[in-house]
Amino acid sequence: MQRIQSVYLFLSSLAGILFLFLPLGKINESEVFTDVKGIDDVIFIILSCVISIIALGSIFLFRNRKLQMKVILFNILCSLALVGYTVYVFLGFQESEFKFGPALILPVFILIFNVLAYIGVKSDEQLIESMNRLR
C-alpha cells in the first residue's frame, strides 16, 4: 500500500517547481502588463529549490520515521518562509499596478502538503509504537 505522506511530499515538490515557472501575476509597467514569475527572484528560486529537494529526499527516509519527521519539520519552516516572503513582496504593490496570478496561491499549498505529510508520518510512528507496546 502506498503511504499517503509520500504522495503529499511529491505534490509539495511538484508545487515548488511549478511556483517558479507559472506566472505569479502581472505588473503594470507604463501601461503594458508583464508577467512576474518566481524564477525572476533569487530568493524565490532558493526557497523553492530547497523545498522541492527536501520534499523529494524525505520520501526516501521512510525507514527512519523520526528523521523523516525532523526533515519535514524543517521543510515546513522553509515553506513558512516562502509564504512570508511571497506576502512581503506582493503586498508592496499598489492595486492598480499588480494583478494576481494563479501561482500566487502555490506556497500555501506547499505548506499544507508538508503539514499533511508530517501528520501522516507521525500517525505511522504512533501506530508502530503502539504495536511495539503490545508485544
Side-chain angles (χ1 to χ4, degrees), residues 6-69:
S6 298
V7 174
Y8 291 143
L9 289 169
F10 177 74
L11 289 174
S12 173
S13 178
L14 182 66
I17 294 168
L18 287 176
F19 177 74
L20 289 176
F21 298 106
L22 291 178
L24 301 172
K26 294 181 183 281
I27 190 166
N28 187 2
E29 294 176 348
S30 66
E31 301 303 322
V32 176
F33 282 96
T34 58
D35 282 340
V36 177
K37 294 184 179 181
I39 202 140
D40 298 335
D41 191 334
V42 175
I43 296 177
F44 282 146
I45 293 170
I46 292 170
L47 285 173
S48 270
C49 288
V50 166
I51 289 168
S52 296
I53 290 169
I54 289 174
L56 279 179
S58 62
I59 291 173
F60 300 104
L61 294 174
F62 60 90
R63 286 188 164 91
N64 190 348
R65 283 176 300 282
K66 291 187 187 219
L67 177 62
Q68 189 180 34
M69 285 173 33

Side-chain angles (χ1 to χ4, degrees), residues 28-135:
N28 187 2
E29 294 176 348
S30 66
E31 301 303 322
V32 176
F33 282 96
T34 58
D35 282 340
V36 177
K37 294 184 179 181
I39 202 140
D40 298 335
D41 191 334
V42 175
I43 296 177
F44 282 146
I45 293 170
I46 292 170
L47 285 173
S48 270
C49 288
V50 166
I51 289 168
S52 296
I53 290 169
I54 289 174
L56 279 179
S58 62
I59 291 173
F60 300 104
L61 294 174
F62 60 90
R63 286 188 164 91
N64 190 348
R65 283 176 300 282
K66 291 187 187 219
L67 177 62
Q68 189 180 34
M69 285 173 33
K70 290 177 185 175
V71 169
I72 293 173
L73 271 178
F74 178 72
N75 210 12
I76 289 172
L77 290 176
C78 291
S79 301
L80 283 171
L82 181 65
V83 169
Y85 185 69
T86 304
V87 169
Y88 171 75
V89 167
F90 291 107
L91 282 183
F93 290 113
Q94 297 294 329
E95 187 176 318
S96 63
E97 63 184 51
F98 183 76
K99 296 189 188 252
F100 294 101
L104 205 53
I105 194 72
L106 284 176
V108 175
F109 284 125
I110 293 169
L111 179 63
I112 290 170
F113 289 142
N114 281 319
V115 169
L116 289 173
Y118 181 80
I119 291 170
V121 173
K122 189 171 183 173
S123 69
D124 279 0
E125 183 64 23
Q126 289 173 345
L127 179 66
I128 296 298
E129 287 175 0
S130 71
M131 297 298 260
N132 286 339
R133 280 191 290 245
L134 291 176
R135 289 186 203 177

